[in-house]
Amino acid sequence: RLINSETVKEINKKISNISREQFYKKYNPSEMVKLGIYPNIWERDGDESFEYIWENFETLKQFVGNCSNHDVGMALYLT
């Protein structure tokens, strides 16, 4: 999926200010397991699973922010 630069800017506006506390309030390991969200560690690994997803979300925010700042789109590839 290709995401144009305008949409990248919109995504950046929505995710750039999400704090760790806000993210944690929405984090639901049981629901993630129920939905089969990879890598199915959510209940098994306790707090480590939150750290894993938070670190990856922070990386995503940086990437989207860089794309937005440089006025470029993104390519999304899911396997």
Side-chain angles (χ1 to χ4, degrees):
R1 170 177 280 184
L2 298 177
I3 303 170
N4 65 34
S5 61
E6 293 81 24
T7 304
V8 169
K9 288 182 185 300
E10 290 174 29
I11 294 168
N12 187 52
K13 285 179 188 175
K14 291 183 188 256
I15 69 171
S16 63
N17 292 319
I18 295 174
S19 70
R20 182 183 176 92
E21 293 75 25
Q22 291 169 316
F23 193 87
Y24 188 77
K25 285 181 186 178
K26 299 287 185 175
Y27 176 67
N28 186 333
S30 298
E31 187 68 15
M32 294 168 76
V33 168
K34 180 180 166 185
L35 294 170
I37 296 175
Y38 180 84
N40 204 11
I41 60 169
W42 312 115
E43 290 182 314
R44 181 192 75 200
D45 292 352
D47 288 340
E48 286 180 34
S49 62
F50 176 77
E51 294 302 322
Y52 170 81
I53 197 168
W54 174 251
E55 288 173 14
N56 282 281
F57 183 66
E58 283 283 281
T59 300
L60 175 68
K61 287 193 322 182
Q62 291 173 359
F63 177 75
V64 172
N66 285 335
C67 290
S68 178
N69 292 338
H70 289 93
D71 199 28
V72 297
M74 299 185 311
L76 175 66
Y77 177 74
L78 299 174
T79 59

